[in-house]
Amino acid sequence: MPGTIVDDVEIIDAGHGGGTPPPAGGDDDGDSHRPRRPVPPRAYFTALQLGLAAIVMFFMALASSYIVRKGLGLDWQSTPLPRVLWFNTAILLASSATIVVARKKLEGGEREAFRSWWWVTTGLGLLFLTGQVIAWHQLAASGMLLATNPSSSFFYLLTAAHGAHLAGGILALFYVAFRPWSRSRISQSTAAELASIYWHFMDGLWVFLLALLTLGR
Amino acid sequence: MVTHENGGGHEQHHPPSGFIRKYVFSIDHKVIGIQYLMLALFSVFVGMALSLLMRLHLGWPTAKFAFFHGGQMTPEQYLALMTMHGTIMVFMVLTTAPQSGFGNYFLPIQIGAADMAFPVLNMLSFWTTFVSLVVMICAFFVSGGAPIGGWTSYPPLSALGEIVGPGQGGGETLWIVGLAIFCGASLMGALNFITTLIDLRAKGMTLGRLPLTCWTWFVTAILGLLAFGVLLAACILLLLDRLAGTSFFIPGGLVVTDQVITWHKGGSPLLWQHLFWFFGHPEVYIAILPGMGVASHLLSTFSRKPVFGYRAMVAAVCGIGFLGFCVWGHHMFVSGMSPYSAFAFSILTMTIGVPSAIKTFNWLGTLWGGKIQFNCAMLFALGFVSLFVSGGLSGLFLAQPALDLYLHDGYFVVAHFHLIMGVAAIFGMFAGLYFWFPKMFGRFLNEGIGKVHFWLTFIGVYTIFMPMHFLGLAGNPRRYSEMTAGPFLLALQPVHVFISIAAFITIGAQLIFLFNFLWSLFAGKEAKEENPWHATTLEWSIPSPPPHDNFGGVEPVVYHGPYEFSVPGAADDYIPQHLAPNLVRKA
């Protein structure tokens, strides 16, 4: 088979794209057989971005359904939003700030401070979810249940879907805090960066959903 | 959220020792690929068995059979078979085998990687798919049986529960839950495929040197990533309508079996159709694009010529993928949409003819003047091209709203989508299997039996689906369990008998394939060479079957394009991608 047993070693220039390979994601010296690289950290960022794209499509499907369903009929009655939502929003926005501080502390080597700020972020996330449950209770107490009206159906659905995704983010925060990173393919700092990107995204997503629920009532 | 893998990059590529870790919960992409293929093989025989029962009833609607309760199939039973046939074939066969099966096995090897980027996630996506299949099949065994709403599950019938018919209770709920689980599995798989292709390519494997198979797996994964989230959202809305009493899809004032539905109002069945087909049309390309990749790959390999117009082929694949998201409305021409919308969707749909024609032209250009080898793999690749053209041309008729209004609910559509989406994609899979079998299992499929299988299948599928075009033109409606309701339908009955007989023979031919598959697995001719086809891509540079981490702990370096066949000045008529330029023998 050519390539393994060679009788006659000569270079041919056939103009078919042969020649020295360009560097494709490696900084190696170009030996024909090189030790295998581990999966590069950038793969995690690629995967995160793709995951966020899928999440965007999911929420865009729900948001377009919201707009279409609202435009359909006379049965749409605006759902009065519980005031606690504004408090929840402030909590979530604050958590985005604390996660930035936490990462800065980690990069600066202040591990204790990092852990503190990281736990503050996690606590704020849990507080947000608790606040959302309180909002549900308040809404239910006012007689607006899941099936009462399409508007309330969407309120519960969108907040639940966002809450589920945010709960995934909280699990990621725990994971970053507790995992033994010495044996991992990526460093704790990279993992913290990934978790924080996701966290900021969940924050932005909530602001979008809140805008939809208030402006599109 | 991104998944973090356990263990370092090196540790995880030690071969596992126990049976469970090696063959069941394996994180090796090759084992997972074979698991997907086995799941699809099981599913395709289930799907075929369902179609056999349907054809039996369509051919001889008044005959009595002991295995039907009461001797005869009821219309509801027919619809349940039709629903499950469509669902299992589309999701468990056409979506899993070409992409998750062959793609899982060969994408990492063809780009020079040791595994997928996230092996644990890969395992998780297979087992999630398995759970979704189990949940769907459970629908057969619950009270009321399998759902009768078709694979598109249009509300309001799919949203109202048992009141609208058997199977619309627990069976339909299981169907939706199974589909939602499948969405999750597909999203995990798509994310893994794209990341692997972007970040794990070996040195020298530029985008311009990717085999066309990899390009099609890549674009298919992008389609899956963007489409399945939308289907998941639709499934959740439908489940809430069924279980929580919401009214997303259910309009008010419905009268069902003499009962006025008062507890739902204001919803829109068309909303489901938009969401479903926004997923559903890209799904067609999820099924067919990998087949295009395999066909391009094989036509080049077995005509010993480079792919004609490689860049145009890549552009066409990307173009088809993009346009696939712009044409969902053509499934809804009969929904009463505005003629202006219909016009826009019609023009966009016919635009897909441009990249499709580029692909067909380039396939013929690849064959032109080549030293063609008519082995089984090549025959199935040629069969793919034939079926793609035959099935695609009828798409141009259906893309026109005026014609579609007449043809939409008849057998013309059945013929169209079976040829282009079903059978063409399956020919792509067969082509891939005959080609890669020696690499996967170290033995060849038997060529003699394979040729009998090819010709019976090739003639068989045309014999089944060509007459269906005429049935459709004659006004034969689809989804009817029997054609006994009037003289014009009765006059078409002999055609149904003919199609049924052709279907039985073609299904029988698949038993020949099954025999060949199982026999060759254990007693087929051994593939002693690494590269028996004299092919160029990286999977042919390693032993058959490949070792646990593909390249023996080293990373290959790529120097050549994927289709350097019959290069002027070279001694051999192919230059493997990994062969250093100074090792290429001169003529």
Side-chain angles (χ1 to χ4, degrees), chain A residues 2-3 9-10 14 16-18 21-22 28 31 34 36-37 42-43 46 57 69 72 75 147 157 175 179 185, chain B residues 4-5 12 114 117 195 199 203 206 209 226 247 265-266 268 553-555 557-559 564 567 572 574 579 582 584:
Chain A
V9 179
E10 277 186 61
H16 277 252
D28 316 74
D31 294 340
R34 308 173 307 149
R36 176 161 305 289
R37 288 172 301 166
R42 70 169 183 276
T46 310
M57 291 306 289
R69 183 66 183 83
L72 274 179
D75 62 330
L157 175 60
Y175 191 77
R179 193 190 193 293
R185 298 202 292 200
Chain B
H4 302 283
E5 304 294 334
Q12 70 176 331
T195 309
D199 288 325
K203 185 164 182 168
T206 58
R209 287 175 177 165
L226 299 179
S247 299
K265 60 180 179 181
S268 166
V554 294
E555 187 182 340
V557 177
V558 173
Y559 297 92
E564 298 201 1
V567 175
D572 300 289
Y574 67 107
L579 192 61
N582 61 339
V584 176

Side-chain angles (χ1 to χ4, degrees), chain B residues 497-514:
Chain B
V497 173
F498 175 81
I499 292 173
S500 289
I501 292 169
F504 299 154
I505 294 171
T506 312
I507 290 173
Q510 304 322 302
L511 296 177
I512 297 175
F513 161 75
L514 190 63

